[in-house]
Amino acid sequence: MSFDLDLSSRVVLVVGDAQLSRRALAEAVAGGARVTSASASEALSRLGAIEPAVDLLVWVDGPQGTRDTLAALARELRIPFATAEPVAPTPHGQVTLVGGGPGDPDLITIAGRRALARADVVLHDRLGPRDALPDLAPGAELIDVGKTPGHHAVPQREIERIMVEKARSGLRVVRLKGGDPFVFGRGGEEVAACHRAGVPVHIVPGVTSAIAVPAEAGIPVTHREISRAFTVISGHVPLSEEELSHAVGLGGTLVVLMGVATLPHLSAGLRRHGMRDDMPVAVLERGFTESRRTTVTTISGVLEAVTKASVRSPAVIVIGEVVTAIADAANDVMNDAGDADLVAAIHGLA
Ligand code: SAH
C-alpha cells in the first residue's frame, strides 16, 4: 500500500493489532506522518471525540462492523479512509507451563500430555514425571534444570533466560513443573518473564502433591464435620509467630510442603500456640513412587518418629484430624478393631 497523500506532519491513525499493522505503520512513519496505532474500539472512541484531529485513517484489521462504522464516521468528518493489508505474524515460539502432577505419568492432564507431545524443548525439574519424558516428549530436547544430589539447581533467572531464548528462536517450549505450576513452583515468575519478553505463554494446571499425596495415602484433606479448611503451607522458611498462631486458630487441616527441615520449629510452634498434643500427623515421603512411605504419629511424637524413620525430603506433612478420619469412620461402623490397628492397616503399615 502507498498513500497518495502528502503525509508530512499529518496525523495518521492505523487501526488494528500492532503486529499485523507493522507494514502500514512503517510506511506512514517513512512518509513523515505522526502515527498512532489503535485497536478498532480505541479508534471508534477517538473518532467519536469532538475534534478527533486525525488526517488519515488506515484500516488494517478488526471486526467488519467496526470497519463500516469507522468508514461512515470518516466520510462524515471528511477524513480520508484507506485500507492496508495485514502482515501475517512471523512464526514465533511459545512457552507452555505444564503441571506434571506428583510423579505418576497417569496423573498428567491430557492437555499437559498434548503440550509435551508437541514440544521442541522441555525444561524439567527433579520432581514430577521425569522418567516418562522420553516417551511423552519424543521430539524434544530435554533440559534438566532441577536440583540433583551434588548438583546445584540452575538459578531461576537462568531458567527464565533459556526459556525465553528458546521460544524466541521459534521453538515450542514446555516448562514442566512438579504438581501444579502455581503451587510453590515459581511459576508466576516464569509467566512474568515471558510477558516481559513478549513471548506467548500458556498454563496447563496440574494435580498438586498437596492434595494428591495425602489422597494416595488414604487421607482426605477435608472431611465432613472434621475439617472444612485446608491450608497449604511452605515450610521452606520457618513460620512467624503470627502465622503459627493463625494456623492453629483456623482449626482445619495443615498441609506442609518442603517442611522436613523445619519440622522441629513447626511442631514446637504449633504446640506453643495451643495445638493439642495428640493431634494426628502423617509424613508422606516420595508419593507415587515404589519407595513411598507413610509415617503416622502425633504432633508431640512427630520429631521422634521422623528421626527414627530417617524421614527425608520430598515429603508432604499433613497435620489434622483428617489423618485418622477414614480410619475413625470405618471404626465407627466396624467397632471391633482398635484405632491404631485400623490406621496402620489403612496406611499399609500393618
Ligand atoms: N508445585 C508442586 C510443589 C513444589 S514444592 C506441587 O504442586 O506439588 C516441592 C515440594 O512438594 C516437596 O518438597 C514436597 O514437599 C512436595 N512434593 C512434591 N511431589 C511430591 C511427592 N511425589 N511426594 C512427596 N512430596 C512431594
Side-chain angles (χ1 to χ4, degrees):
M1 169 202 64
S2 51
F3 309 109
D4 43 7
L5 273 176
D6 175 12
L7 292 182
S8 50
S9 306
R10 302 294 185 93
V11 178
V12 176
L13 190 63
V14 179
V15 186
D17 173 84
Q19 271 287 319
L20 303 180
S21 309
R22 60 191 193 280
R23 190 179 302 146
L25 289 165
E27 279 184 30
V29 170
R34 281 158 46 207
V35 190
T36 315
S37 166
S39 69
S41 59
E42 284 162 0
L44 261 186
S45 57
R46 174 104 177 244
L47 250 64
I50 296 178
E51 282 186 13
V54 175
D55 299 316
L56 171 66
L57 200 67
V58 180
W59 173 268
V60 178
D61 173 59
Q64 185 61 36
T66 313
R67 183 189 192 282
D68 296 345
T69 314
L70 275 176
L73 263 174
R75 232 183 351 262
E76 220 171 89
L77 297 163
R78 298 179 194 288
I79 299 172
F81 185 94
T83 303
E85 276 299 307
V87 192
T90 46
H92 46 53
Q94 56 175 44
V95 171
T96 308
L97 244 72
V98 173
D104 179 345
D106 279 359
L107 293 179
I108 309 179
T109 65
I110 291 169
R113 280 179 169 261
R114 275 196 195 123
L116 284 167
R118 284 195 306 251
D120 300 308
V121 184
V122 177
L123 285 83
H124 64 91
D125 288 326
R126 183 176 55 116
L127 294 171
R130 53 181 293 164
D131 293 342
L133 274 180
D135 292 330
L136 294 172
E141 176 193 2
L142 304 180
I143 305 177
D144 184 352
V145 294
K147 287 179 210 130
T148 47
H151 234 90
H152 277 300
V154 178
Q156 184 65 25
R157 296 296 161 252
E158 180 65 7
I159 295 175
E160 290 164 14
R161 195 193 60 73
I162 299 172
M163 209 171 67
V164 163
E165 184 194 288
K166 297 272 183 190
R168 273 189 172 154
S169 68
L171 300 174
R172 278 176 303 229
V173 180
V174 166
R175 173 70 179 107
L176 181 68
K177 309 185 73 80
D180 181 272
F182 285 168
V183 178
F184 308 137
R186 304 188 74 168
E189 290 166 56
E190 294 172 7
V191 170
C194 291
H195 286 325
R196 278 197 304 275
V199 167
V201 55
H202 309 278
I203 294 129
V204 177
V207 173
T208 180
S209 66
I211 300 173
V213 171
E216 184 192 34
I219 300 171
V221 291
T222 70
H223 194 73
R224 202 166 70 87
E225 288 173 359
I226 287 183
S227 171
R228 56 190 185 120
F230 62 99
T231 307
V232 181
I233 306 175
S234 163
H236 185 59
V237 172
L239 297 196
S240 68
E241 286 305 302
E242 203 182 6
E243 287 167 332
L244 287 164
S245 138
H246 291 311
V248 175
L250 191 57
T253 307
L254 302 177
V255 179
V256 187
L257 305 191
M258 299 178 281
V260 173
T262 53
L263 192 54
H265 175 273
L266 179 71
S267 56
L270 293 174
R271 292 172 74 191
R272 193 166 61 247
H273 284 276
M275 182 172 280
R276 62 178 167 83
D277 282 353
D278 61 350
M279 182 63 84
V281 176
V283 183
L284 314 167
E285 297 168 82
R286 299 177 296 277
F288 297 95
T289 68
E290 301 207 326
S291 63
R292 77 188 177 93
R293 180 168 63 166
T294 298
T295 305
V296 177
T297 174
T298 60
I299 196 72
S300 58
V302 70
L303 286 190
E304 199 188 321
V306 299
T307 309
K308 219 163 111 191
S310 310
V311 163
R312 286 205 318 268
S313 180
V316 173
I317 302 165
V318 185
I319 304 169
E321 289 172 37
V322 291
V323 167
T324 49
I326 292 184
D328 289 347
N331 201 27
D332 281 352
V333 177
M334 289 158 63
N335 211 18
D336 62 357
D339 263 17
D341 292 344
L342 265 163
V343 172
I346 281 170
H347 296 297
L349 300 176

Coordinates of all heavy atoms in Angstrom, one line a residue, residues 243-293:
E243 N 1.9 -16.3 62.0 CA 1.5 -17.4 61.1 C 1.1 -18.7 61.9 O 0.1 -19.3 61.7 CB 2.5 -17.7 60.1 CG 2.6 -16.6 59.0 CD 3.8 -16.7 58.1 OE1 4.9 -17.2 58.6 OE2 3.8 -16.2 57.0
L244 N 2.0 -19.0 62.9 CA 1.8 -20.2 63.7 C 0.4 -20.1 64.4 O -0.4 -21.0 64.5 CB 2.9 -20.4 64.7 CG 4.2 -20.9 64.1 CD1 5.4 -20.7 65.1 CD2 4.2 -22.4 63.7
S245 N 0.2 -18.9 65.0 CA -1.0 -18.7 65.8 C -2.2 -18.8 64.9 O -3.2 -19.5 65.3 CB -0.9 -17.4 66.5 OG -2.1 -16.7 66.5
H246 N -2.2 -18.2 63.7 CA -3.3 -18.3 62.8 C -3.5 -19.7 62.3 O -4.7 -20.2 62.1 CB -3.2 -17.4 61.6 CG -3.3 -15.9 62.0 ND1 -4.3 -15.5 62.8 CD2 -2.5 -14.9 61.8 CE1 -4.1 -14.2 63.0 NE2 -3.1 -13.8 62.4
A247 N -2.4 -20.4 62.1 CA -2.5 -21.8 61.5 C -3.3 -22.7 62.6 O -4.1 -23.5 62.2 CB -1.1 -22.4 61.3
V248 N -3.0 -22.5 63.8 CA -3.7 -23.3 64.9 C -5.1 -22.8 65.0 O -6.1 -23.5 65.1 CB -3.0 -23.1 66.2 CG1 -3.7 -23.8 67.3 CG2 -1.5 -23.7 66.2
G249 N -5.3 -21.4 64.9 CA -6.6 -20.8 65.1 C -7.6 -21.2 64.1 O -8.8 -21.4 64.4
L250 N -7.2 -21.4 62.9 CA -8.1 -21.8 61.8 C -8.8 -23.1 62.0 O -9.9 -23.3 61.6 CB -7.4 -21.7 60.4 CG -8.2 -21.7 59.2 CD1 -9.3 -20.6 59.2 CD2 -7.3 -21.7 58.0
G251 N -8.0 -24.0 62.6 CA -8.6 -25.3 63.0 C -8.8 -26.3 61.9 O -9.4 -27.4 62.2
G252 N -8.4 -26.1 60.7 CA -8.6 -27.1 59.7 C -7.4 -28.0 59.5 O -6.6 -28.1 60.5
T253 N -7.2 -28.5 58.3 CA -6.0 -29.3 58.0 C -4.9 -28.4 57.6 O -5.1 -27.5 56.9 CB -6.4 -30.3 56.9 OG1 -7.6 -31.0 57.1 CG2 -5.3 -31.3 56.6
L254 N -3.7 -28.8 58.1 CA -2.5 -28.1 57.6 C -1.7 -29.1 56.7 O -1.5 -30.2 57.1 CB -1.6 -27.7 58.8 CG -2.2 -26.8 59.8 CD1 -1.2 -26.5 60.9 CD2 -2.6 -25.4 59.1
V255 N -1.4 -28.6 55.5 CA -0.6 -29.5 54.6 C 0.7 -28.7 54.4 O 0.7 -27.6 53.9 CB -1.3 -29.7 53.2 CG1 -0.5 -30.5 52.3 CG2 -2.7 -30.3 53.5
V256 N 1.8 -29.3 54.7 CA 3.1 -28.6 54.7 C 4.0 -29.2 53.6 O 4.2 -30.4 53.6 CB 3.8 -28.6 56.0 CG1 5.0 -27.7 56.0 CG2 2.9 -28.2 57.1
L257 N 4.4 -28.4 52.6 CA 5.3 -28.9 51.6 C 6.7 -28.3 52.0 O 6.8 -27.3 52.6 CB 4.9 -28.4 50.2 CG 3.5 -28.8 49.7 CD1 3.4 -28.4 48.2 CD2 3.2 -30.2 50.0
M258 N 7.7 -29.0 51.5 CA 9.1 -28.6 51.8 C 9.3 -28.4 53.3 O 10.0 -27.4 53.7 CB 9.4 -27.3 51.0 CG 9.3 -27.4 49.5 SD 9.6 -25.9 48.6 CE 8.1 -25.0 48.9
G259 N 8.7 -29.2 54.1 CA 8.7 -28.9 55.5 C 9.5 -29.9 56.4 O 9.5 -29.8 57.6
V260 N 10.3 -30.8 55.8 CA 11.0 -31.8 56.6 C 12.1 -31.0 57.5 O 12.2 -31.3 58.7 CB 11.7 -32.9 55.8 CG1 12.6 -33.8 56.6 CG2 10.6 -33.7 55.1
A261 N 12.9 -30.1 56.9 CA 14.0 -29.5 57.6 C 13.4 -28.6 58.7 O 14.1 -28.4 59.8 CB 14.8 -28.7 56.7
T262 N 12.3 -28.0 58.5 CA 11.8 -27.0 59.5 C 10.8 -27.6 60.5 O 10.1 -26.9 61.3 CB 11.2 -25.8 58.8 OG1 10.2 -26.2 57.9 CG2 12.2 -24.9 58.1
L263 N 10.6 -28.9 60.4 CA 9.6 -29.6 61.2 C 9.8 -29.4 62.7 O 8.8 -29.2 63.4 CB 9.5 -31.1 60.9 CG 8.3 -31.9 61.4 CD1 7.0 -31.2 61.1 CD2 8.3 -33.3 60.9
P264 N 11.0 -29.4 63.2 CA 11.2 -29.1 64.7 C 10.6 -27.8 65.1 O 9.8 -27.6 66.1 CB 12.7 -29.2 64.9 CG 13.2 -30.0 63.8 CD 12.3 -29.8 62.6
H265 N 10.9 -26.8 64.3 CA 10.4 -25.4 64.6 C 8.8 -25.4 64.4 O 8.1 -24.8 65.3 CB 11.0 -24.4 63.6 CG 10.4 -23.0 63.7 ND1 9.3 -22.6 63.0 CD2 10.9 -22.0 64.4 CE1 9.1 -21.4 63.3 NE2 10.0 -20.9 64.2
L266 N 8.3 -26.1 63.4 CA 6.9 -26.0 63.2 C 6.1 -26.7 64.3 O 5.1 -26.2 64.9 CB 6.5 -26.7 61.8 CG 5.1 -26.7 61.5 CD1 4.5 -25.3 61.2 CD2 4.8 -27.6 60.3
S267 N 6.6 -28.0 64.6 CA 5.8 -28.7 65.6 C 5.8 -28.0 67.0 O 4.8 -27.9 67.7 CB 6.3 -30.2 65.7 OG 7.7 -30.2 66.0
A268 N 7.0 -27.5 67.4 CA 7.1 -26.8 68.6 C 6.2 -25.5 68.6 O 5.5 -25.3 69.6 CB 8.6 -26.4 68.9
G269 N 6.3 -24.8 67.5 CA 5.5 -23.6 67.4 C 4.0 -23.8 67.5 O 3.3 -23.1 68.1
L270 N 3.5 -24.9 66.8 CA 2.1 -25.2 66.8 C 1.6 -25.5 68.2 O 0.5 -25.1 68.6 CB 1.8 -26.3 65.8 CG 1.9 -26.0 64.3 CD1 1.7 -27.2 63.4 CD2 1.0 -24.9 63.8
R271 N 2.4 -26.3 68.9 CA 2.1 -26.7 70.3 C 2.1 -25.5 71.2 O 1.2 -25.3 72.0 CB 3.0 -27.8 70.8 CG 2.8 -29.1 70.0 CD 3.9 -30.1 70.4 NE 3.7 -30.7 71.7 CZ 4.6 -31.4 72.3 NH1 5.7 -31.7 71.8 NH2 4.3 -31.9 73.5
R272 N 3.1 -24.6 71.0 CA 3.1 -23.4 71.8 C 1.9 -22.6 71.6 O 1.5 -21.9 72.5 CB 4.4 -22.7 71.4 CG 4.8 -21.6 72.4 CD 6.2 -21.1 72.1 NE 6.4 -20.5 70.8 CZ 7.2 -21.1 69.9 NH1 7.8 -22.2 70.1 NH2 7.3 -20.5 68.7
H273 N 1.3 -22.6 70.4 CA 0.1 -21.8 70.1 C -1.2 -22.6 70.4 O -2.2 -22.2 69.9 CB 0.2 -21.2 68.7 CG 1.2 -20.1 68.6 ND1 0.8 -18.8 69.0 CD2 2.5 -20.1 68.3 CE1 1.9 -18.0 68.8 NE2 2.9 -18.7 68.4
G274 N -1.0 -23.7 71.1 CA -2.3 -24.3 71.6 C -2.7 -25.6 70.9 O -3.8 -26.1 71.2
M275 N -2.0 -26.1 69.9 CA -2.4 -27.3 69.3 C -2.3 -28.5 70.3 O -1.3 -28.6 71.0 CB -1.6 -27.6 68.0 CG -2.0 -28.9 67.3 SD -1.2 -29.1 65.7 CE -2.1 -28.0 64.7
R276 N -3.3 -29.3 70.3 CA -3.3 -30.4 71.4 C -2.2 -31.4 71.0 O -2.0 -31.7 69.8 CB -4.7 -31.0 71.5 CG -5.3 -31.7 70.3 CD -6.6 -32.3 70.7 NE -7.4 -32.7 69.5 CZ -7.2 -33.9 68.9 NH1 -6.3 -34.7 69.2 NH2 -8.0 -34.2 67.8
D277 N -1.7 -32.0 72.0 CA -0.5 -32.9 71.8 C -0.8 -34.1 71.0 O 0.1 -34.6 70.3 CB 0.0 -33.4 73.2 CG 0.8 -32.4 73.9 OD1 1.1 -31.3 73.3 OD2 1.1 -32.6 75.1
D278 N -2.1 -34.6 71.0 CA -2.3 -35.8 70.3 C -2.9 -35.6 68.9 O -3.5 -36.4 68.3 CB -3.2 -36.8 71.1 CG -4.6 -36.1 71.4 OD1 -4.7 -34.9 71.2 OD2 -5.5 -36.8 71.9
M279 N -2.7 -34.3 68.4 CA -3.2 -34.1 67.0 C -2.5 -35.0 66.0 O -1.3 -35.0 66.0 CB -2.9 -32.6 66.7 CG -3.4 -32.2 65.3 SD -5.2 -32.3 65.2 CE -5.7 -30.7 65.8
P280 N -3.2 -35.7 65.2 CA -2.6 -36.7 64.3 C -1.7 -36.0 63.2 O -2.1 -34.9 62.8 CB -3.8 -37.4 63.7 CG -4.9 -37.2 64.6 CD -4.7 -35.8 65.2
V281 N -0.7 -36.6 62.9 CA 0.3 -36.1 61.9 C 0.6 -37.3 61.0 O 0.9 -38.4 61.4 CB 1.6 -35.5 62.5 CG1 2.5 -35.1 61.4 CG2 1.2 -34.3 63.4
A282 N 0.7 -37.0 59.7 CA 1.2 -38.0 58.7 C 2.3 -37.4 57.9 O 2.2 -36.3 57.5 CB 0.1 -38.5 57.8
V283 N 3.4 -38.1 57.8 CA 4.5 -37.7 57.0 C 4.6 -38.6 55.8 O 4.8 -39.9 56.0 CB 5.8 -37.7 57.8 CG1 7.0 -37.2 56.9 CG2 5.7 -36.8 59.1
L284 N 4.4 -38.1 54.6 CA 4.3 -38.9 53.4 C 5.4 -38.7 52.5 O 5.5 -37.6 51.8 CB 2.9 -38.5 52.7 CG 1.7 -38.4 53.7 CD1 0.6 -37.8 53.0 CD2 1.4 -39.8 54.2
E285 N 6.4 -39.6 52.5 CA 7.6 -39.4 51.6 C 7.4 -40.1 50.3 O 6.8 -41.1 50.1 CB 8.8 -40.1 52.3 CG 9.2 -39.6 53.7 CD 10.1 -40.5 54.4 OE1 11.3 -40.5 54.1 OE2 9.7 -41.4 55.2
R286 N 8.0 -39.4 49.3 CA 8.1 -39.9 47.9 C 6.8 -40.5 47.4 O 6.7 -41.6 46.9 CB 9.2 -41.0 47.8 CG 10.6 -40.5 48.2 CD 11.6 -41.6 48.1 NE 11.4 -42.6 49.2 CZ 11.7 -42.5 50.4 NH1 12.4 -41.5 50.9 NH2 11.5 -43.5 51.3
G287 N 5.7 -39.7 47.5 CA 4.4 -40.2 47.0 C 4.5 -40.6 45.5 O 5.3 -40.1 44.7
F288 N 3.7 -41.6 45.2 CA 3.6 -42.1 43.8 C 4.9 -42.7 43.2 O 5.1 -42.6 42.0 CB 3.0 -41.0 42.8 CG 1.6 -40.6 43.2 CD1 1.4 -39.5 44.0 CD2 0.6 -41.3 42.8 CE1 0.2 -39.1 44.4 CE2 -0.7 -40.9 43.2 CZ -0.9 -39.8 44.0
T289 N 5.7 -43.2 44.2 CA 6.9 -43.9 43.7 C 6.8 -45.3 44.4 O 6.1 -45.4 45.4 CB 8.2 -43.3 44.1 OG1 8.4 -43.3 45.5 CG2 8.3 -41.8 43.6
E290 N 7.6 -46.2 44.0 CA 7.6 -47.5 44.6 C 8.1 -47.5 46.0 O 7.9 -48.3 46.9 CB 8.4 -48.5 43.8 CG 7.8 -48.6 42.4 CD 8.1 -49.9 41.7 OE1 9.2 -50.5 42.0 OE2 7.2 -50.4 41.0
S291 N 9.0 -46.4 46.3 CA 9.6 -46.4 47.6 C 8.8 -45.4 48.6 O 9.3 -44.9 49.5 CB 11.0 -45.9 47.5 OG 11.0 -44.6 47.0
R292 N 7.5 -45.2 48.2 CA 6.8 -44.3 49.1 C 6.6 -44.8 50.5 O 6.6 -46.1 50.7 CB 5.4 -44.0 48.5 CG 4.4 -45.1 48.7 CD 3.1 -44.8 47.9 NE 2.2 -45.9 48.0 CZ 1.3 -46.0 48.9 NH1 1.1 -45.0 49.8 NH2 0.5 -47.0 49.0
R293 N 6.5 -43.9 51.5 CA 6.4 -44.4 52.9 C 5.6 -43.4 53.6 O 5.7 -42.2 53.5 CB 7.8 -44.5 53.5 CG 7.8 -44.9 54.9 CD 9.2 -45.3 55.4 NE 10.1 -44.1 55.4 CZ 11.2 -44.0 56.1 NH1 11.7 -45.1 56.7 NH2 11.9 -42.9 56.1

